Amino acid sequence: MGSKYIVIEGLEGAGKTSARDVIVSTLKESGVNEMVFTREPGGTLLAEKLRSLVLDIRSVGDEVICDKAEVLMFYAARVQLVETVIKPALAQGQWVIGDRHDLSTQAYQGGGRGIDQAMLATLRDAVLGDFRPDLTLYLDVTPEVGLKRARARGELDRIEQESLEFFNRTRARYLELAAQDDTIRTIDATQPLEDVMQNIRQTIMAWVQEQGA
Ligand SMILES: Nc1ncnc2c1ncn2[C@@H]1O[C@H](COP(=O)(O)OP(=O)(O)OP(=O)(O)O)[C@@H](O)[C@H]1O
Ligand SMILES: [Mg+2]
């Protein structure tokens, strides 16, 4: 089996970072040892600078980042990561495990912010071409559950401070896109951590088998 790009998606506090360990251990059992980890926005020097600009309003004083500027900063960071980290790793036979990728933009900006969804798809295709993850695990939680977990963990960033309605729209878009795409598998992440991890493990095992078939 060739190298693959697996992405973890979901609202804040869904359990994305926690999911990584179980993905790694499950893949190792399947004989995958060479893995690279990415997070978005970020993962290169430039992309991390864009991350702090886009997630931290204080870095631009009181200036409000307009919706399209925000989208373009996410894409600048994303394409830099794809071209300089993800594609080279895959070409060298390493698997890439990503904490968020393009689905976040489609869900947060398309769903949450209400930016024209056709425009976002056009932008994605123009910037990324046909580059897509091989598998996306979407960890589905209600915003109430996710934000409670994220809050318990510490200070909230600019996007995390959005309204509950924003996150409800984001979640609805995630679910809508997941239903249309075979490469996106939805995990009920409102369950206790142990059950979620077990579910992720089973999903990865089944998917790896499908790849070999
Ligand atoms: N299923 C679960 N049940 C209870 N607590 C959980 C569950 N999953 C994760 N947590 C806890 O919730 C907090 C947030 O989890 P985690 O950091 O993995 O989420 P995340 O999706 O990476 O969030 P962010 O988008 O903010 O990075 C952590 O303290 C984690 O231990
Ligand atoms: Mg995280």
Side-chain angles (χ1 to χ4, degrees), residues 11-18 39 51 99-100 153 160:
L11 296 178
E12 1 291 300
K16 296 180 295 300
T17 303
S18 314
R39 70 161 181 177
R51 178 190 180 95
D99 186 326
R100 296 192 182 280
R153 203 193 37 201
E160 287 169 346

Side-chain angles (χ1 to χ4, degrees), residues 8-19 51 99-100 108 139 141 145-146 148-150 152-153 157 160 188-197:
I8 314 161
E9 284 278 359
L11 296 178
E12 1 291 300
K16 296 180 295 300
T17 303
S18 314
R51 178 190 180 95
D99 186 326
R100 296 192 182 280
Y108 283 77
L139 307 185
V141 285
V145 167
K148 198 169 154 213
R149 289 181 193 163
R153 203 193 37 201
D157 70 28
E160 287 169 346
D188 177 3
T190 57
Q191 307 169 89
L193 190 58
E194 215 167 283
D195 297 345
V196 175
M197 296 302 135

Side-chain angles (χ1 to χ4, degrees), residues 4-202:
K4 305 283 183 195
Y5 178 33
I6 299 179
V7 170
I8 314 161
E9 284 278 359
L11 296 178
E12 1 291 300
K16 296 180 295 300
T17 303
S18 314
R20 204 180 76 180
D21 290 347
V22 71
I23 293 175
V24 169
S25 60
T26 309
L27 288 175
K28 281 191 173 158
E29 281 177 50
S30 307
V32 176
N33 288 304
E34 296 279 308
M35 285 177 249
V36 168
F37 305 101
T38 61
R39 70 161 181 177
E40 293 197 34
T44 80
L45 229 53
L46 173 68
E48 288 292 331
K49 287 193 174 177
L50 287 164
R51 178 190 180 95
S52 50
L53 277 175
V54 83
L55 296 184
D56 184 0
I57 191 74
R58 283 164 299 193
S59 62
V60 284
D62 291 334
E63 184 177 335
V64 175
I65 303 174
C66 72
D67 288 351
K68 283 184 182 163
E70 184 186 72
V71 170
L72 291 169
M73 286 162 77
F74 280 123
Y75 273 110
R78 179 162 305 133
V79 69
Q80 186 71 11
L81 179 73
V82 167
E83 296 299 336
T84 70
V85 176
I86 300 177
K87 283 184 180 174
L90 292 170
Q92 284 170 23
Q94 294 170 309
W95 286 49
V96 180
I97 315 298
D99 186 326
R100 296 192 182 280
H101 185 61
D102 197 72
L103 193 61
S104 286
T105 299
Q106 307 302 322
Y108 283 77
Q109 275 68 44
R113 295 249 189 271
I115 293 181
D116 182 62
Q117 292 167 357
M119 189 275 274
L120 288 176
T122 303
L123 196 53
R124 173 196 60 208
D125 294 345
V127 174
L128 302 176
D130 60 4
F131 181 79
R132 298 284 182 279
D134 296 290
L135 172 69
T136 298
L137 292 181
Y138 165 58
L139 307 185
D140 183 52
V141 285
T142 60
E144 287 87 349
V145 167
L147 289 173
K148 198 169 154 213
R149 289 181 193 163
R151 247 180 232 122
R153 203 193 37 201
E155 206 186 323
L156 299 180
D157 70 28
R158 185 175 63 87
I159 290 180
E160 287 169 346
Q161 290 169 23
E162 291 287 345
S163 67
L164 216 51
E165 295 80 70
F166 171 89
F167 290 111
N168 278 317
R169 290 193 300 273
T170 302
R171 180 184 180 216
R173 186 66 180 145
Y174 262 132
L175 287 167
E176 188 176 30
L177 290 165
Q180 294 166 12
D181 186 337
D182 275 356
T183 71
I184 306 172
R185 307 282 160 96
T186 301
I187 307 278
D188 177 3
T190 57
Q191 307 169 89
L193 190 58
E194 215 167 283
D195 297 345
V196 175
M197 296 302 135
Q198 181 64 17
N199 208 326
I200 291 171
R201 198 182 125 74
Q202 282 164 356

